[in-house]
């Protein structure tokens, strides 16, 4: 179930929103018009190795519009990856100018590129003069050190055929502290004609409603942690009646079963599947009104069987929050 007045996107999370996570969320809950993959990086300029593309193989990404994301400051690398993605049938990609983590940003990648508009210009000039084969969108923060960096960056970006910009209005230095800044987003919006996607702190239907009234020109919304906590949140925003009609526990069980089965089948070891499910539950426990105790049950499991018992107990015994 999706709506036609606005678009809802699922944000990318390295280590969590892999192909089975994205497609199963779309399948069992719905509400998302598109999903973004966690960034692909370090692909080099010679040949994109197959293991970098595992998560974007078309067969594993059926049923929902999937937008692969790249993290790079090297136009040659982006061109080669773009061609590999085009060969897989993709027509669009997203460029990450938002990742705040020091090991990325200190190398002038992700949000670390935001203070350097000339570098961004040079990369985009090379890409668009070299038949980059995909439509390109950008996902960014409003700055690395300071929100004011967004102005020069937007002026640079809009000289190129960028399709849309997802804007998370925090600086890179902030990581996740403080609130996503509505005033920094408003300042950016006033400056650009490019379609902007709001991304940040949409945890409830009422927060989305507040933002949609505050930013009437925005018709694209990216939901991250809010959807990881409550996979039904996009549906509740897109169509509240449809949300009221789904069996949320059944949908959660099916969603978790998909993730568990696919991870188990990779056969990387029994502890891998358990730690993968725990990473999902770090957020997902907030679907329940007693998240601390729900997560405690999951956290103490060591074997797949223990995990499955704990999952069953949480789904059967804990009360869901109402969105
Ligand atoms: C563990 C983790 C991994 C993330 N991985 C990515 C990523 O690969 N690419 C990206 O653009 N953003 C990534 N993000 C940022 C989210 O996509 C999103 O922009 C951020 O959480 C803000 O949105 P929210 O407030 O709705 O959660 C990541 C965030 C976290 C916490």
């Amino acid at each position: 179930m999706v709506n036609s007045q606005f678009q809802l996107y699922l944000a990318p999370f390295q280590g969590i929103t892999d192909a089975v996570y994205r497609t199963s969320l779309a399948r069992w809950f719905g509400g998302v018009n598109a999903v973004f993959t966690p960034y692909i990086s370090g692909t080099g300029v010679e040949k994109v190795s197959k293991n970098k593309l595992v998560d974007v193989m078309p067969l594993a990404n059926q049923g929902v519009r999937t937008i692969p994301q790249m993290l790079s400051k090297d136009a040659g690398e982006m061109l080669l990856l773009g061609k590999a993605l085009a060969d897989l049938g993709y027509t669009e990609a997203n460029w990450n100018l938002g990742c705040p983590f020091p090991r990325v940003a200190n190398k002038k990648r992700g949000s670390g590129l935001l203070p350097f508009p000339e570098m961004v210009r040079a990369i985009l000039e090379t890409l668009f003069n070299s038949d980059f084969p995909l439509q390109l969108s950008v996902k960014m923060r409003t700055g690395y050190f300071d929100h004011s960096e967004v102005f020069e960056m937007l002026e640079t970006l809009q000289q190129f055929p960028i399709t849309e910009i997802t804007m998370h209005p925090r600086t890179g230095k902030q990581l996740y502290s403080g609130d996503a800044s509505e005033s920094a987003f408003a300042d950016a919006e006033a400056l650009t004609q490019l379609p902007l996607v709001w991304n940040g702190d949409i945890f409830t239907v009422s927060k989305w409603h507040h933002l949609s009234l505050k930013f009437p020109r925005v018709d694209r919304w990216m939901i991250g942690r809010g959807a990881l906590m409550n996979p039904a949140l996009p549906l509740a925003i897109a169509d509240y009646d449809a949300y009221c009609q789904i069996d949320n526990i059944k949908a959660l069980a099916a969603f978790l079963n998909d993730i568990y089965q696919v991870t188990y089948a990779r056969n990387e070891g029994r502890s891998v599947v358990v730690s993968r499910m725990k990473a999902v539950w770090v957020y997902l426990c907030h679907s329940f009104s007693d998240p601390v105790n729900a997560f405690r049950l999951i956290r103490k499991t060591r074997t797949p069987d223990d995990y499955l018992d704990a999952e069953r107990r949480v789904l059967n015994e804990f009360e869901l929050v109402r969105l």
Side-chain angles (χ1 to χ4, degrees):
M1 179 72 61
V2 289
N3 76 91
S4 51
Q5 288 98 48
F6 53 85
Q7 303 266 312
L8 293 178
Y9 300 156
L10 177 68
F13 285 77
Q14 200 66 243
I16 301 176
T17 62
D18 64 358
V20 61
Y21 191 107
R22 300 187 299 267
T23 53
S24 293
L25 188 145
R27 176 174 177 201
W28 298 111
F29 294 95
V32 285
N33 303 82
V35 297
F36 286 64
T37 78
Y39 63 73
I40 304 172
S41 67
T43 45
V45 290
E46 279 169 15
K47 186 172 183 296
V48 181
S49 79
K50 280 216 179 92
N51 67 7
K52 296 279 183 187
L53 300 174
V54 170
D55 187 52
V56 292
M57 292 315 274
L59 260 184
N61 286 282
Q62 298 295 304
V64 61
R65 178 179 156 206
T66 298
I67 301 160
Q69 188 186 66
M70 24 179 103
L71 175 90
S72 178
K73 59 172 177 183
D74 180 330
E77 183 173 70
M78 291 172 73
L79 265 174
L80 193 72
L81 178 55
K83 284 181 184 146
L85 291 169
D87 288 344
L88 292 175
Y90 287 96
T91 56
E92 52 186 336
N94 180 262
W95 187 21
N96 181 322
L97 292 180
C99 183
F101 295 113
R103 67 171 191 282
V104 167
N106 288 346
K107 293 187 198 150
K108 295 200 180 119
R109 295 186 303 164
S111 67
L113 263 177
L114 294 174
F116 303 100
E118 283 315 314
M119 279 182 73
V120 167
R121 181 197 308 279
I123 293 167
L124 291 173
E125 265 168 12
T126 310
L127 282 189
F128 288 111
N129 288 332
S130 318
D131 294 329
F132 186 69
L134 305 170
Q135 297 214 307
L136 190 67
S137 61
V138 164
K139 180 169 179 284
M140 64 187 283
R141 291 187 174 227
T142 34
Y144 181 66
F145 297 107
D146 194 274
H147 291 305
S148 60
E149 291 161 27
V150 77
F151 303 123
E152 225 180 309
M153 188 51 72
L154 279 176
E155 282 193 2
T156 304
L157 292 172
Q158 62 198 18
Q159 288 161 20
F160 298 91
I162 302 287
T163 53
E164 70 179 18
I165 296 185
T166 297
M167 187 70 77
H168 178 58
R170 282 190 175 91
T171 62
K173 276 282 185 198
Q174 253 184 296
L175 295 170
Y176 287 92
S177 63
D179 292 330
S181 165
E182 293 175 22
S183 67
F185 186 92
D187 291 347
E189 193 189 32
L191 194 105
T192 184
Q193 297 306 313
L194 279 167
L196 285 193
V197 183
W198 168 282
N199 169 230
D201 298 0
I202 301 179
F203 295 114
T204 58
V205 180
S206 62
K207 177 69 184 273
W208 171 78
H209 197 64
H210 157 81
L211 291 167
S212 70
L213 292 175
K214 176 128 193 198
F215 298 111
R217 275 166 50 205
V218 172
D219 64 357
R220 306 160 196 214
W221 309 88
M222 179 181 276
I223 308 180
R225 292 163 297 166
L228 270 45
M229 292 177 185
N230 277 290
L233 179 61
L235 179 64
I237 292 172
D239 183 341
Y240 199 78
D241 288 342
Y243 158 69
C244 292
Q245 278 160 29
I246 60 162
D247 184 333
N248 208 336
I249 285 289
K250 256 196 183 156
L252 272 175
F255 170 66
L256 287 165
N257 183 54
D258 281 355
I259 300 171
Y260 179 92
Q261 295 298 343
V262 167
T263 312
Y264 196 88
R266 277 190 215 131
N267 210 7
E268 292 163 335
R270 289 154 57 85
S271 63
V272 173
V273 70
V274 177
S275 48
R276 160 95 169 108
M277 299 314 292
K278 285 180 188 173
V280 170
W281 276 97
V282 167
Y283 293 98
L284 194 62
C285 63
H286 295 279
S287 280
F288 297 89
S289 48
D290 182 3
V292 173
N293 283 316
F295 188 62
R296 190 168 287 150
L297 274 183
I298 300 287
R299 195 186 55 201
K300 63 182 192 205
T301 64
R302 295 279 170 269
T303 66
D305 285 345
D306 285 351
Y307 165 75
L308 289 174
D309 277 346
E311 181 190 299
R312 236 172 271 126
R313 274 193 65 190
V314 174
L315 293 185
N316 289 332
E317 295 170 20
F318 282 67
E319 197 188 330
L320 281 169
V321 293
R322 195 87 201 132
L323 286 170

